[in-house]
Each structure stands twice: as structure tokens, then as C-alpha cells.
Amino acid sequence: MTGLNNNGALDEISFKADLTLQRLRPRLEEHWRRTSMDEADRRSFDNRLAEHWPLLFKLLYRLYGDRYDFFYHIERVLLTAAGAWADRSDRLRETDLHRVNDPSWFLSEGVVGGAIYVDLFSENLGRLREQVPYFKSLGLTYLHLMPLFAVRPGDNDGGYAISNYRSVDPRLGTIDDLRLLAEELHANGISLVLDFVFNHTADDHEWAQLAQAGSREHQEFYYLFPDRTEPDRYEQSLREVFPTVRRGNFTWHDGMQQWVWTTFNNFQWDLNYSNPAVFRAMLEEMFFIANTGVDILRLDAVAFIWKRLGTNCENQPEAHMLIQAFNRLARIATPGLLFKSEAIVHPDEVVRYISPKECQISYNPTLMALLWESLATRRVRLLRQTLSHRHKLPEQTSWVNYLRCHDDIGWTFDDADAAAIGVNAYDHRRFLNDFYTGQFPGSFARGVPFQENPQTGDMRISGTMASLAGLEQAIDEDDEEKKELALKRMLLLHGVTLSIGGIPLLYLGEEWGMLNDYEFANDPAKAGDTRWIHRPKMQWEFLDELDDHIASGNGSIRTRIFTTMQRMIKLRKESPALSGQAMDLIGTSNDHVLGYVRRFEGHRLVVLANFSEEEQVIDGNKLRTAAIGRFFQDEISGATYPTSDPMRLGAYQILWLKSV
Ligand code: GLC
Ligand code: GLC
């Protein structure tokens, strides 16, 4: 019976969707008459609209159907989409069509990403354009620029407190510079990735200013409360993301005499998506950003965009509906555009954002955390346990595998995965925090705490890849052996993210083994946020060292990291087996060695990775069956291995084995 009801409800909603579109058609026709678009482009929009409208309507109806002004908003949404398609450059429309015909383009082994801050890397967008050859020399085909839009004065959370989505921070350049850069990147086969910071605006965004000036319409863009009654009720089940900024999730605003919902910093005001005007307004901003020439939008802080009393207000069903609605609209108006999810939450929740209908790609925070976990413990049990049931993703989607980013490291593995191998998650997180802040005896790491919460004992970790992997300590102690080990640890981790399945993403600076930068503490706008420790300025003189071939001491470590990374990236791009996502673990019968096979259209690559500084031996027969072959060649070192012998892996060695 329920089936019947559901069908009935479905028919009902399809009927409503059809009728609504019929009613809106004349408005669309009117709109087309005012734009000078050729017939073919118009038709392609109409086709996509017909295909995606039913689902879009259903989502918006579920989110906003009971609002008195629903029909007004839906009309505006449709016209906004038409306007966005009309505003797209010919080049973008051409890319759209290619991607509609080749929807797997981002699953290729050829895709390799990098992320940078424009100011720290090259001062501004103009100079950045001159650095395209650098990206190419590394082999990058995907470039994430950290937020570069106009921000509030003073602390701006590294660009995440945006006061205007339509203008570039004047210190970095202009929207035209951004467009030019996008063209230059495109001409060089590099996709542009920008953030869509849609959970909050800065407190000086126009909407927030109008709200402060008393505009009721704009006050409804945010969550404002006249007293503590509601905030206190919400607070009972909320987490604190930035507990050192202030306790709780609300900030008192003297001018308005209201509490403002601020999940992150006090000056980042959460947008109220239960108001359809907010959805529509942000849709316009999204299309504007997309049309500057963006290939992939990184959806910032996706988990937080819907609030529900009595919950932690993260990962609510409506958050998914909202992203799906944005996705449908992108399919209609900017069909080449992909979404990347930034959900740094429990692994069960991370994966719920990943689908061709929602975010096609996603950060893989669990793999990131567990690679560091394996490095600390020298064991891969938790990593293997987790990968065994969490790596697989839906068709036409991909992980983005990374080791460091501009944010902290949180130990977001699943407690049950830990329990399954006999590990107490609470104690283990404490151990990892001790280890990565260098407190644990014998630790090689030089991380610092981020957002330590004295009440819960929670903290996350800041630090550059090299400092966390032991290079800083080794250099301070001037210990050659330790330097070697640190170098090997870094290459081991990169060897995994480059091969395990998904898009590898370097946080630039990693390719030089850049160390923690303690200078941030002298800048009042940064001092309160230890994440600045791992946001160092690019040092272009490193490139001269590389050219000189005479680098010595630490310079030689840097050039070795750089040239090895360059070579590994090249190898990845020449290995069709590394396309896509499919990965099968190999039982290595050795807790220090992770093993997996990658297969694609008859190509195979076996990866063995030793997470300890001791030599490890595994039975060659394991490979013979897993990877079908008697002789293997390691792509990285060139050495060959017969499977009749035991396989020996040196300290932190990683092998990419092809059968020969
Ligand atoms: C995202 C960003 C982080 C920022 C936060 C608030 O998580 O990665 O840097 O602090 O959102 O925008
Ligand atoms: C939390 C949030 C994540 C954000 C990070 C910044 O982990 O879930 O979105 O990037 O804090 O530290």
C-alpha cells in the first residue's frame, strides 16, 4: 500500500513540476527574446532544462514548497539559470559540451591537483599567470586557488570571510585578471578550482550590513536571536568548531542587539537557507563565480548549511537537498562544472555528499588522517580496516586524496573501525595528538595544537607535511640519518596518494618539503590561528638551487623531494591502471606493509608500502596470485623482483609494481 501512496505522491509532484514549467515557459521565452543567443544554444539549454527540471522542482518544493512566496522564487531561479547560460563565454560553452559528452574526464590518471594561496605563492593574479610553466613542470592539471574574493579588513580566516563574491581582493587583482588567468590555465590543460564559501558571509557583506542597518528582509538572511532562549536550546546538541575563538556558536551583536549564529569565527555569519531568498541569492553568486572560468567549485563547509533543533546541525537531510538543487542548476546552466565537497566529518557522513547528483568529488579526510596514523604507529591495520569498506565510491565520482591542506588535521576515523582491530579510539586520538605535537617520547613530528578544548581535551593538529614527517627535527639536530628517514616518509605518503585511486592533490610547498613558519605569531590578524604555521610563502630561490645542480645540505634534500615528486607524478600519468577509483587490498600478512592492486581495462599496478623504518619481508607468492605474474618491475626504482623469492622492502619503501 505504501508503494501506491509513494507513487501517488510522485505522480502528484511530477504533475506539479510539469504544470509549473508550462506556466514559466512564457517568461523564459520573453527572457530569450531579450538576449542574443543563437538557436542551437537556446535549444541545448531547453533540453537540459527538460531533463533536470523534475528533480530540481521536487527538491525546491520539498525545501520551500510551504513558503508563501515559493512561486516567485522558483521563477527567479529559472531565469537566473537562463541568464547564467547566456552569460557563459563561448569557450566555457564549448568546454561544457565536451564534458557532457565525456563525463568521466576527471577520473583519468592524467588528473593531478595542486592548491595555493595567490598572495603567498606569487603576490597577485597577474604574476600567477607567469607561473603556469611551473605548474606544468610539476605535472599539475588542476589548480585550487584559495579564496581570492574581497574580504573584511583585519582577520578574514584566510579568505573565508567574504564581503563580496563579485570582486577580487584588490591586493590580488581584479575579476578581469581572474578571467585572464582562467583562460591561460585552460590553454595549458589546467582546470581552475575555486571555493564557493556558501555557509556564511563576512559580517561586512552587503547583506550583513543591510541587516545591521535594520533591513528585516536581510536580517532574515541570517540566524538572529533577541535573547539566549533559542541559542541555549540549540547549544545543547551543537559541537564547537572553533572553541578558542569563543565558547559556543553564537556571537552577540551590540548594534542589532541580537545573537548571531556564527559556527566559525565571530565575523562569519551563517546564512539561513531555510529562507529561499538566500538560496536564490547564493545561486546568483555561484553562477557569477562559475562564469569567470571555473571548472570545479569547492563547496566549503557543506556539513553546516542546515540547522535543526535537537541535532548537532551538521549533515542534515536538507543540506544534501540544497547541494543537489545547486547541482541540478549547474547541470542546466553550467553543465561542465563539478562540485567538490569539503565535509570534514565522520566517514559515514563524508560519503553521503558524494554522488553524480550531489558532489562528484570529495576530499578524503579519513585517508589523510589514517596515513598520518600509520606513520605514527608504523602499522597499517586501521588504515586497511578502513579502506576495506570505505574506499569504494559510486560510479562517476572520485576521491581527492591529499596529505596536507590549509586546514588542521583532525582524527576523523570511525570508532568502530578502531574497535574492530582492538584499538580504543579515545585513547588513540590522545596518542596521535601527543605524537604529532612532539610530546610522545621518540616522536619525529613538530606539529602544534589547533583549537584545543580544555573541557573535552580535544584538539586538532597544525604543521606542514615536512615538519610533521620529521624533517624539521632532523634539520634542527643536523642528523643526516633522520633527514633521510623524513624524506622517505614524505615520498611514501605521496606514493600512496598518487596511486590509491582518486585525484591526488598537493598542497604546494610539499614539493619542497617546506617547514613550519613560526612568523605568523607576530601578525595580530593571524596569531590566534595556528593553521598559519603551515601556510608558508613560496621561496622561488629553491628553483635556482634546482637549476644549479650544486645544492648541498638542506638544499639537496629539497631538490631530491622536488625531482622525485616530479618523476612520480609523471609515472602516475603514464599508468592507465591508476585511472578511476577501483582498488583491491592485498593481504600482505605483515602489519607494517599496505598492499593493493589497481586495475583498469586490462592494466594492473600493484603497490606495496612499508610504513616502518625496519626492513620488511613479504611472501612473493602473495603477489603471484593477486597480480598475476612471476616477474615484477618497480616503476619507481626500476628494480625487478621475481615472485619466487621473498620480497624485501627497505625503510619506508614504496613499490609500484608492474608485471613484466
Ligand atoms: C572551511 C575552510 C576553513 C575555514 C572554514 C570556515 O572548513 O577550509 O579554512 O576556516 O571553512 O570557512
Ligand atoms: C572543522 C570543519 C571543517 C573545517 C575545519 C577548520 O573540521 O568540519 O569544515 O575545515 O573545522 O578547522
Side-chain angles (χ1 to χ4, degrees):
M1 277 297 117
T2 50
L4 242 185
N5 283 343
N6 279 342
N7 283 338
L10 252 181
D11 285 350
E12 180 64 25
I13 198 146
S14 324
F15 167 75
K16 285 183 174 141
D18 278 357
L19 192 58
T20 306
L21 189 55
Q22 273 178 46
R23 286 171 172 166
L24 288 174
R25 283 264 179 223
R27 310 306 296 269
L28 191 59
E29 292 306 322
E30 211 177 288
H31 182 88
W32 290 142
R33 271 196 297 278
R34 277 185 277 113
T35 55
S36 56
M37 209 191 321
D38 65 45
E39 189 50 34
D41 279 334
R42 211 178 291 185
R43 231 178 307 122
S44 84
F45 180 91
D46 276 343
N47 291 340
R48 295 192 304 270
L49 180 62
E51 182 183 346
H52 300 294
W53 176 262
L55 184 55
L56 173 65
F57 180 85
K58 187 170 138 195
L59 290 162
L60 294 178
Y61 186 69
R62 283 172 67 189
L63 286 161
Y64 302 122
D66 59 354
R67 293 283 300 213
Y68 78 97
D69 52 356
F70 176 64
F71 197 79
Y72 165 76
H73 287 295
I74 203 154
E75 175 181 329
R76 293 292 306 273
V77 161
L78 176 62
L79 297 182
T80 298
W85 174 243
D87 286 348
R88 236 156 142 67
S89 68
D90 290 341
R91 202 278 284 166
L92 283 174
R93 278 197 220 130
E94 198 183 307
T95 309
D96 286 332
L97 297 185
H98 276 133
R99 293 194 174 154
V100 170
N101 293 326
D102 176 20
S104 309
W105 68 274
F106 61 98
L107 305 177
S108 155
E109 70 280 8
V111 180
V112 176
I116 54 164
Y117 284 90
V118 176
D119 57 340
L120 298 174
F121 189 76
S122 62
E123 306 275 334
N124 57 46
L125 287 168
R127 293 237 184 102
L128 184 55
R129 225 164 49 232
E130 295 161 19
Q131 302 307 344
V132 171
Y134 177 76
F135 304 130
K136 287 183 79 171
S137 80
L138 249 184
L140 303 187
T141 65
Y142 158 132
L143 186 67
H144 174 208
L145 304 182
M146 299 302 296
L148 42 72
F149 296 101
V151 284
R152 70 191 293 282
D155 187 358
N156 58 47
D157 191 21
Y160 284 95
I162 295 179
S163 41
N164 186 345
Y165 298 88
R166 297 187 186 219
S167 71
V168 167
D169 181 338
R171 290 166 289 197
L172 305 179
T174 63
I175 286 287
D176 283 336
D177 293 329
L178 177 59
R179 291 204 177 97
L180 274 176
L181 174 67
E183 286 310 311
E184 182 75 13
L185 291 174
H186 176 80
N188 285 281
I190 300 174
S191 302
L192 175 61
V193 187
L194 289 187
D195 279 83
F196 181 40
V197 183
F198 71 131
N199 175 69
H200 44 263
T201 70
D203 56 358
D204 70 342
H205 186 282
E206 189 188 2
W207 306 330
Q209 284 188 7
L210 289 165
Q212 287 166 63
S215 156
R216 168 130 182 231
E217 186 185 346
H218 293 93
Q219 290 183 349
E220 288 183 358
F221 271 45
Y222 301 96
Y223 291 97
L224 305 181
F225 307 94
D227 57 43
R228 286 297 308 181
T229 320
E230 281 201 69
D232 284 345
R233 289 172 69 206
Y234 277 111
E235 227 30 291
Q236 287 179 12
S237 47
L238 288 178
R239 171 163 85 99
E240 293 175 298
V241 180
F242 285 174
T244 62
V245 164
R246 115 231 95 226
R247 301 319 303 265
N249 287 268
F250 301 85
T251 303
W252 176 250
H253 191 273
D254 253 342
M256 293 186 297
Q257 292 284 303
Q258 304 264 0
W259 290 94
V260 186
W261 197 313
T262 53
T263 300
F264 297 93
N265 290 287
N266 296 343
F267 49 79
Q268 289 164 305
W269 292 16
D270 287 43
L271 285 163
N272 178 357
Y273 280 93
S274 71
N275 176 1
V278 168
F279 176 81
R280 193 172 52 69
M282 285 307 288
L283 178 70
E284 287 175 14
E285 305 313 283
M286 180 184 98
F287 282 145
F288 179 86
I289 298 172
N291 281 349
T292 61
V294 173
D295 297 278
I296 301 176
L297 277 181
R298 171 191 182 278
L299 268 48
D300 183 57
V302 288
F304 301 91
I305 59 174
W306 194 271
K307 325 289 187 197
R308 172 174 283 115
L309 192 64
T311 71
N312 63 359
C313 298
E314 294 180 41
N315 311 306
Q316 296 299 304
E318 288 84 352
H320 293 281
M321 286 190 233
L322 283 165
I323 302 168
Q324 287 173 22
F326 282 125
N327 177 309
R328 282 306 91 179
L329 282 152
R331 301 278 68 70
I332 294 168
T334 56
L337 183 71
L338 296 185
F339 287 169
K340 165 176 168 180
S341 156
E342 191 244 349
I344 315 301
V345 288
H346 188 280
D348 289 348
E349 298 293 348
V350 172
V351 75
R352 295 203 171 105
Y353 294 91
I354 311 172
S355 131
K357 290 194 159 63
E358 201 164 325
C359 295
Q360 296 89 346
I361 65 177
S362 163
Y363 278 108
N364 193 350
T366 317
L367 176 69
M368 183 275 288
L370 289 178
L371 287 170
W372 289 106
E373 188 270 347
S374 301
L375 218 50
T377 59
R378 277 78 164 172
R379 285 189 169 70
V380 299
R381 294 173 65 211
L382 186 52
L383 178 58
R384 197 154 55 199
Q385 163 68 19
T386 302
L387 285 171
S388 71
H389 67 120
R390 297 190 185 276
H391 184 75
K392 198 164 186 276
L393 288 182
E395 293 286 308
Q396 300 292 329
T397 64
S398 174
W399 287 118
V400 175
N401 297 319
Y402 66 114
L403 296 161
R404 292 299 295 114
C405 70
H406 68 290
D407 279 332
D408 46 285
I409 302 179
W411 308 110
T412 60
F413 56 82
D414 174 35
D415 292 7
D417 281 331
I421 56 153
V423 166
N424 174 297
Y426 179 84
D427 295 344
H428 200 49
R429 290 195 179 96
R430 292 208 90 122
F431 156 73
L432 291 167
N433 283 330
D434 282 351
F435 189 91
Y436 280 105
T437 52
Q439 305 298 308
F440 191 82
S443 166
F444 48 74
R446 286 279 176 88
V448 299
F450 177 66
Q451 298 299 332
E452 191 168 3
N453 183 335
Q455 222 165 344
T456 58
D458 272 354
M459 66 158 97
R460 281 118 65 192
I461 300 291
S462 292
T464 65
M465 173 163 194
S467 289
L468 295 177
L471 190 59
E472 188 175 326
Q473 187 197 58
I475 289 177
D476 279 357
E477 295 176 8
D478 198 15
D479 183 324
E480 292 308 319
E481 216 171 299
K482 284 188 176 176
K483 286 185 202 169
E484 279 307 311
L485 289 176
L487 176 79
K488 285 184 173 152
R489 289 187 196 103
M490 287 184 261
L491 296 174
L492 166 73
L493 295 194
H494 283 300
V496 175
T497 50
L498 283 167
S499 66
I500 198 162
I503 300 172
L505 176 61
L506 312 183
Y507 180 56
L508 292 197
E510 280 169 8
E511 76 281 26
W512 298 107
M514 299 257 262
L515 302 180
N516 285 348
D517 177 3
Y518 296 90
E519 283 297 305
F520 79 97
N522 302 326
D523 180 343
K526 295 181 174 171
D529 187 335
T530 61
R531 288 175 298 173
W532 286 103
I533 211 169
H534 54 249
R535 299 171 180 175
K537 213 167 142 68
M538 171 67 184
Q539 286 171 264
W540 290 101
E541 53 285 11
F542 292 169
L543 271 176
D544 302 333
E545 284 175 4
L546 191 67
D547 290 342
D548 285 351
H549 302 290
I550 47 154
S552 60
N554 301 334
S556 79
I557 291 259
R558 278 195 287 273
T559 51
R560 276 170 66 201
I561 301 176
F562 186 87
T563 49
T564 316
M565 299 258 343
Q566 209 175 22
R567 203 157 51 78
M568 281 167 62
I569 291 171
K570 186 162 177 285
L571 279 175
R572 169 191 158 94
K573 295 168 84 169
E574 290 165 356
S575 303
L578 296 182
S579 164
Q581 205 52 73
M583 182 277 295
D584 292 303
L585 291 170
I586 304 174
T588 60
S589 306
N590 181 325
D591 277 349
H592 307 287
V593 181
L594 180 71
Y596 50 86
V597 200
R598 300 295 320 281
R599 297 189 180 83
F600 184 75
E601 291 181 350
H603 302 276
R604 272 164 204 271
L605 191 84
V606 174
V607 176
L608 294 175
N610 174 10
F611 278 77
S612 85
E613 55 265 77
E614 310 291 327
E615 180 185 90
Q616 299 297 329
V617 181
I618 70 163
D619 181 355
N621 279 317
K622 301 262 175 211
L623 283 195
R624 189 150 47 195
T625 39
I628 319 181
R630 288 178 181 279
F631 289 92
F632 287 90
Q633 179 162 29
D634 173 27
E635 297 283 277
I636 299 175
S637 65
T640 48
Y641 297 85
T643 53
S644 51
D645 296 342
M647 308 259 316
R648 283 174 201 287
L649 285 98
Y652 297 123
Q653 190 173 11
I654 181 160
L655 304 173
W656 284 7
L657 299 169
K658 230 186 218 171
S659 113
V660 284

